[in-house]
């Protein structure tokens, strides 16, 4: 069920995403899934996209557009030019800064910062 959050936000029961000049804020709940959507410019539809932990070196890459892993799944909508990563079963250590990248062979990759302050959902029985 979607609800309006304001002109620059879209909300659901699981997450809230807001955008501001090259920075995306994502909020999620422990044990749930969250979608992180990153836009990219025209002309990069065929390029590989990826998500990585900050500072985003080769060892920091979590997933790429051509392969899905257990915790991370990807979808690249080439018509809308939006690369979406679903992070499953959120844990407290998933909180932090990530980057969405577009691989530009022979040139510096295009990166968008994603700030992911994870919110913890407290259950009614007092467990988190």
């Amino acid at each position: 069920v979607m609800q309006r959050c304001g002109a620059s936000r879209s909300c659901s029961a699981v997450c809230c995403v807001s955008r501001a000049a090259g920075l995306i804020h994502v909020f999620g709940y422990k044990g749930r899934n969250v979608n992180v959507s990153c836009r990219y410019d025209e002309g990069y539809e065929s390029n590989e996209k990826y998500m990585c932990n900050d500072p985003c070196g080769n060892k920091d890459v979590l997933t790429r557009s051509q392969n899905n892993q257990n915790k991370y799944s990807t979808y690249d909508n080439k018509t809308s030019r939006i690369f979406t990563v679903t992070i499953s079963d959120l844990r407290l250590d998933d909180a932090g800064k990530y980057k969405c990248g577009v691989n530009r062979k022979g040139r510096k990759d295009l990166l968008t910062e994603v700030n992911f302050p994870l919110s913890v959902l407290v259950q009614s029985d007092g467990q988190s």
Side-chain angles (χ1 to χ4, degrees):
V1 175
M2 296 294 285
Q3 60 185 9
R4 284 261 325 145
C5 233
S8 66
R9 297 178 183 217
S10 62
C11 293
S12 71
V14 177
C15 72
C16 187
V17 176
S18 64
R19 302 176 192 282
L23 176 64
I24 301 169
H25 295 282
V26 179
F27 301 93
Y29 296 98
K30 182 179 173 188
R32 303 256 186 111
N33 299 344
V34 69
N35 291 324
V36 180
S37 296
C38 302
R39 293 188 178 276
Y40 56 89
D41 292 334
E42 187 174 356
Y44 296 107
E45 293 84 355
S46 297
N47 293 54
E48 179 182 57
K49 285 81 176 180
Y50 58 92
M51 178 173 275
C52 54
N53 285 320
D54 195 34
C56 209
N58 283 335
K59 65 178 176 41
D60 302 313
V61 173
L62 301 170
T63 189
R64 297 181 184 277
S65 53
Q66 277 78 29
N67 59 335
N68 291 319
Q69 300 165 352
N70 292 336
K71 186 166 180 68
Y72 306 96
S73 60
T74 62
Y75 175 71
D76 186 7
N77 184 328
K78 295 175 194 267
T79 303
S80 299
R81 296 188 315 274
I82 298 174
F83 173 63
T84 301
V85 176
T86 301
I87 305 173
S88 302
D89 190 23
L90 293 174
R91 300 183 315 246
L92 291 176
D93 61 358
D94 290 322
K97 287 187 179 179
Y98 295 82
K99 291 185 179 178
C100 294
V102 176
N103 189 338
R104 301 191 309 169
K105 294 177 182 160
R107 296 169 53 196
K108 186 174 179 171
D109 290 357
L110 297 174
L111 297 172
T112 301
E113 186 173 330
V114 179
N115 190 17
F116 189 23
L118 183 64
S119 301
V120 179
L121 178 64
V122 179
Q123 299 175 1
S124 60
D125 62 4
Q127 297 178 1
S128 60

